[in-house]
Amino acid sequence: MLPIIGIGIVLACVFGGYILAGGKIMIVLQALPFELIIIGGAGVGSVIIGNQMGVLKKIVGAMVKALRGPKWSQRDYQDLLLMMFQVARLRKQKGNLALESHVEEPDDSAIFSEYPRIMKDDFSKKLILDTLRMLTLDVDDTHKLEAYIEGEIEKHHKEEMEPGNALQTLADAFPALGIVAAVLGVIKTMASINEPPEVLGKLVGSALVGTFLGVFLSYGIAGPFAQRVKQIVSEESQFYYVVRDVLLSIAQGDAPQVAVEIGRIHVPSKIQPTFYDIDEAAAELPRVD
């Protein structure tokens, strides 16, 4: 919602200010469709040239994500901590082998099946289950586990950043593409050099719309969208770092309450559940085998 409001403010201030200053908006509007085809079409083409199909598909999702915002809420973090509390308690009481049936058949697990939103996230599911599977194989070297988890998160983060980087590259290209459109407009003007001044003035004005549009799209639209996508990816990645912290604490043999608290303190402050929220909710969780 906020990006839509921001776009509205940008459009209102730029074009509203121009009109209030006495500018003739019709010159801009008449040239805008053609300049947009040149600049926007060239920009889209350059993105297609520079990226794989998988990244191109992600760009569409990234634009939706920029409008929607981060997918993890305070409730999701609380559910994650409660789920990991049950895992930690089961391991503490019955050992690594007690986790095996839950890891191998998560859909039938009395723990994981209770948190479908987390399990629907492919990377969360993979990160949690694969790490716990290593524990069931008695891989208790926390340094190896940490290196494994860090590697997985870093790879995932890099892949999720690809759409934002592509949008940033597009934003950086728009001013130059605007100059291309402007040069074409100048060429068109020079071909009409014998026309009267009022005609030449309109042609020059139309040509300058290309420069304006390139800079406007770069710094007013595409650049902020790219920044927003990157912010959301970074914020969503924090969810996986909380998973990492709790899993490593479990691997070290910490008490369930300690493991969960280590994860809780790394939840983003604006959506961080309190210690008492988690403690009270954990006390009501059923015990599983």
Side-chain angles (χ1 to χ4, degrees), residues 43-244:
V44 171
S46 67
V47 170
I48 294 175
I49 292 171
N51 295 279
Q52 299 177 356
M53 181 59 70
V55 177
L56 297 177
K57 291 179 179 179
K58 285 183 179 180
I59 289 175
V60 177
M63 297 294 286
V64 175
K65 182 181 290 188
L67 296 173
R68 182 192 62 198
K71 63 182 175 182
W72 301 120
S73 65
Q74 185 180 58
R75 177 60 184 271
D76 294 320
Y77 275 102
Q78 181 164 321
D79 285 347
L80 171 66
L81 295 174
L82 294 177
M83 182 180 75
M84 299 308 291
F85 176 86
Q86 288 182 287
V87 170
R89 183 171 63 184
L90 180 61
R91 180 178 186 264
K92 194 71 171 177
Q93 292 176 345
K94 299 188 177 182
N96 289 332
L97 290 180
L99 299 174
E100 187 172 359
S101 62
H102 297 275
V103 171
E104 298 304 330
E105 298 180 357
D107 293 338
D108 299 325
S109 167
I111 297 176
F112 298 127
S113 63
E114 293 298 313
Y115 304 95
R117 178 165 164 78
I118 296 174
M119 289 293 104
K120 284 181 180 178
D121 182 71
D122 292 336
F123 185 67
S124 293
K125 182 177 181 179
K126 179 180 183 298
L127 188 64
I128 293 169
L129 297 183
D130 286 356
T131 305
L132 292 177
R133 185 176 289 110
M134 293 176 72
L135 290 180
T136 65
L137 297 174
D138 292 330
V139 179
D140 56 0
D141 187 332
T142 55
H143 295 292
K144 290 182 179 179
L145 288 175
E146 183 174 9
Y148 165 76
I149 297 172
E150 286 282 357
E152 288 293 303
I153 294 176
E154 182 178 350
K155 179 178 69 173
H156 180 264
H157 184 77
K158 182 178 179 181
E159 291 171 351
E160 291 298 300
M161 277 291 188
E162 288 175 344
N165 291 333
L167 287 173
Q168 186 59 59
T169 300
L170 176 61
D172 294 339
F174 271 142
L177 294 175
I179 293 174
V180 170
V183 169
L184 291 174
V186 171
I187 293 173
K188 177 184 175 182
T189 302
M190 296 303 293
S192 304
I193 196 66
N194 293 327
E195 297 292 336
E198 59 269 18
V199 174
L200 290 176
K202 290 182 179 180
L203 290 174
V204 172
S206 296
L208 293 176
V209 170
T211 303
F212 155 74
L213 187 60
V215 175
F216 175 76
L217 289 175
S218 175
Y219 296 103
I221 305 295
F225 257 104
Q227 179 64 22
R228 180 60 178 154
V229 169
K230 292 179 180 181
Q231 285 179 349
I232 291 175
V233 170
S234 295
E235 186 170 333
E236 289 182 348
S237 291
Q238 191 61 35
F239 190 85
Y240 309 121
Y241 285 111
V242 172
V243 171
R244 176 203 63 185

